[in-house]
Structures are given as C-alpha cells and as structure tokens.
Amino acid sequence: MSFLSNLPIADLIASYGYLAIFVVIALESAGVPLPGETILISSAVYAGSTGQLNIGLIILAAAAAAILGDNLGYWVGRRWGMPLLLRYGHLIALDHGRLKLGQYLFREHGGKIVFFGRFTAMLRAYAAVLAGVNKLDARRFLIFNGLGGIAWATIMGLGSYFCGRSIEHIAGPVGLALLALVIFGGLALWLFVRKHETRLLAEAETAIPGPLA
C-alpha cells in the first residue's frame, strides 16, 4: 500500500470506507470532476491488501453510486441543458447546427456513448449530462447506464482487487497506456467529425428538421 500512502484519497478510504466511495463516484457521475475511478481502484487494492473492506460491498457501492449519479446528471441535462446551450452555446462554438448534430449522434449511438463513456476518463463525468441535453430516450439511457455502471464497477473493482500489491508495479505503465489510448481515441474522433461534419450536419437536419426546442 506504499503507493497509496501519500495520497489524500487513502485517508478518505481508511476513515469513511464505503461512504467515501459512494459519495465521490456519485458526484463524479453527476458531472462534478472528482476522481471516481481512482477511489474505486484504490479501495479495491486496499481491500485486497488489508482485508479491511469487502470487495463485494465496494463494487455494490460503486455501481449504485455510478447509476444514481448518472441519473441525476441525465435529468439535470434534460431539464435545463438545452435551453442554456441554445442561448449561450455559440460562445463555445456550439451553434444551432452543431447542437443538432450532437442530438443526432446521441439518437443513433446514444446507448454506446453512455455505456463506453463510463470507461473513458474524458466522458465519465459528462456522458450522462450530454445524454440528457441531447434527449436520449430515457429507457435506453436507464438500460445502458445500468449495464455500464455494473460492468465498470465489477471489472475495475475485481481487476484491482486481484492485482493487490502488484498493482503498484503496473499502475504507471498501464496508466500511461490508457492515457495514450484516450488521447489518440479522442483525436481520431475529432478528426472523423471534422472530416465528415458537413455530411453529418446534413444528415442531422434531415433526421431532425426544424429548430431545436
């Protein structure tokens, strides 16, 4: 546990246990930029190394927090997000056409974005809010959000738990590899959208004619 001893998050885990896991992950999922995945991994390693926390309860707390926080973010985005973006979106290069494009992409691939966004640092805190802003069907959101939250908590929790102390030897290389994957994946997505933006804007206008409400 030496690699955790210098992190403030270790004190949170030791002092508040499952409550800290639940609160941090729920807030991150609702759109607050907090280290949700870090506390899940750290608490799972802590459980594997010390036996003072139960990995089943860690996974349960993380999955419940992810699902609850995402639902909060979704409904906030659905209720207030679009009016704000329609009014002020041009200030951050989100004009009416691009807002319509976002809605079109969520209509076509919204479930995938919600599910895989849970595993992506750049999307984990915002995918649910964006799903609400772009009016992803609530039933689709609930299904893919639930599956994503359970899969993420189980995979990351069990993987970290069984790695135990050995994770401190692989965290650096794995973290760098994941960071590179996220960066290159984001760059590839940006290049794809930039290259095909005109066509996608036309498709979005055909699929969603008229002004956005």
Side-chain angles (χ1 to χ4, degrees):
M1 292 295 292
S2 59
F3 80 107
L4 287 175
S5 60
N6 295 325
L7 297 177
I9 203 165
D11 295 331
L12 281 175
I13 297 168
S15 300
Y16 300 103
Y18 308 112
L19 178 62
I21 298 166
F22 182 88
V23 170
V24 171
I25 293 175
L27 289 176
E28 184 201 40
S29 300
V32 180
L34 289 174
E37 189 161 270
T38 299
I39 199 170
L40 171 58
I41 292 173
S42 300
S43 59
V45 174
Y46 183 82
S49 301
T50 68
Q52 294 184 23
L53 291 176
N54 181 282
I55 186 59
L57 293 179
I58 290 173
I59 291 172
L60 179 62
I67 293 170
L68 178 64
D70 276 348
N71 273 278
L72 177 60
Y74 171 82
W75 290 109
V76 168
R78 192 177 179 99
R79 175 63 180 85
W80 291 291
M82 186 57 78
L84 288 174
L85 288 176
L86 284 172
R87 187 169 183 178
Y88 301 110
H90 65 281
L91 298 176
I92 53 174
L94 287 176
D95 56 21
H96 189 271
R98 287 196 173 101
L99 289 174
K100 185 172 289 190
L101 174 58
Q103 193 167 117
Y104 171 67
L105 290 175
F106 261 89
R107 176 182 290 185
E108 297 296 313
H109 307 288
K112 300 173 200 170
I113 295 173
V114 169
F115 182 89
F116 290 107
R118 170 54 53 186
F119 294 87
T120 307
M122 293 169 59
L123 281 176
R124 187 162 46 251
Y126 305 112
V129 175
L130 291 172
V133 167
N134 289 294
K135 306 295 184 184
L136 178 64
D137 178 74
R139 288 169 296 182
R140 284 187 72 197
F141 174 79
L142 289 173
I143 292 171
F144 284 98
N145 174 52
L147 292 174
I150 293 169
W152 171 76
T154 302
I155 292 170
M156 300 304 296
L158 287 179
S160 301
Y161 176 78
F162 287 118
C163 281
R165 289 184 180 273
S166 65
I167 198 172
E168 60 187 87
H169 302 298
I170 66 171
V174 170
L176 289 175
L178 289 175
L179 177 61
L181 182 63
V182 168
I183 291 173
F184 285 114
L187 179 60
L189 179 61
W190 179 81
L191 289 172
F192 172 83
V193 172
R194 183 72 178 266
K195 180 179 180 181
H196 299 281
E197 186 175 32
T198 301
R199 176 181 60 82
L200 290 171
L201 285 169
E203 290 182 8
E205 184 61 41
T206 300
I208 312 172
L212 292 172

